[in-house]
Amino acid sequence: MIAGAGDDSVLEKIKHDNRFILINRFLKDEEFANLVKYASCVICPYVNGSQSGITHTAMMFGTPVIATKVGAFEEFIEQGENGMLVDNGDTRALAECISYYENEHNANFFVPEKLKWKNIAKKAIVFFEQFSKTNRPHAL
């Protein structure tokens, strides 16, 4: 399944290939979450990127992410633990990762400790406690 808005010439070929399901439009949050929940893996073969909620959504459902080493994917994907990273343009590595997760889709994937909400919350509390100690408002 290929989902999300895109404008690539290959999409016209895919549209007529019955091996694929193509949803070429912006997905509502609920639609995206439902697709990720039931996917064997999520694939992000991006050429460039920035912060993305894709990885976080996939981790919520224990779905591994295969992504190119662009944007923030390297910050959130731990190789072989909650997904795989491949070099941009390395189609062979991308295909190997897809094949691996297609065959291992029942494996247990995890959210790295540093990215679990309880640990993010603890860090935020420490940050704000330190901030409030050093930046107290002055009396008028």
Side-chain angles (χ1 to χ4, degrees):
M1 174 174 290
I2 300 167
D7 184 24
D8 191 290
S9 59
V10 76
L11 294 175
E12 191 59 34
K13 292 178 187 176
I14 290 171
K15 181 167 64 173
H16 301 291
D17 188 329
N18 64 3
R19 296 175 297 166
F20 299 97
I21 297 171
L22 176 64
I23 304 172
N24 190 10
R25 61 177 170 74
F26 179 80
L27 298 171
K28 295 178 183 176
D29 292 341
E30 302 82 29
E31 293 175 296
F32 176 70
N34 198 44
L35 289 174
V36 171
K37 180 178 181 179
Y38 295 104
S40 297
C41 64
V42 174
I43 305 162
C44 300
Y46 294 1
V47 175
N48 58 45
S50 60
Q51 295 290 342
S52 172
I54 293 171
T55 309
H56 303 86
T57 304
M59 282 191 291
M60 282 179 35
F61 295 110
T63 305
V65 176
I66 300 169
T68 47
K69 296 177 183 174
V70 299
F73 288 119
E74 290 182 273
E75 294 176 40
F76 299 105
I77 297 173
E78 293 192 10
Q79 197 74 353
E81 299 295 335
N82 63 341
M84 300 290 267
L85 293 164
V86 298
D87 290 324
N88 184 21
D90 190 344
T91 55
R92 181 176 302 276
L94 185 65
E96 288 171 358
C97 291
I98 293 168
S99 177
Y100 172 79
Y101 283 119
E102 199 171 47
N103 296 322
E104 299 291 328
H105 69 277
N106 289 325
N108 292 321
F109 300 99
F110 80 105
V111 177
E113 283 297 317
K114 67 181 180 183
L115 299 176
K116 288 185 178 177
W117 283 115
K118 66 177 182 179
N119 293 328
I120 292 172
K122 286 178 186 175
K123 287 181 182 180
I125 290 168
V126 168
F127 170 80
F128 286 114
E129 285 174 346
Q130 291 174 345
F131 181 80
S132 67
K133 289 178 185 174
T134 59
N135 293 301
R136 296 205 182 270
H138 300 287
L140 295 177

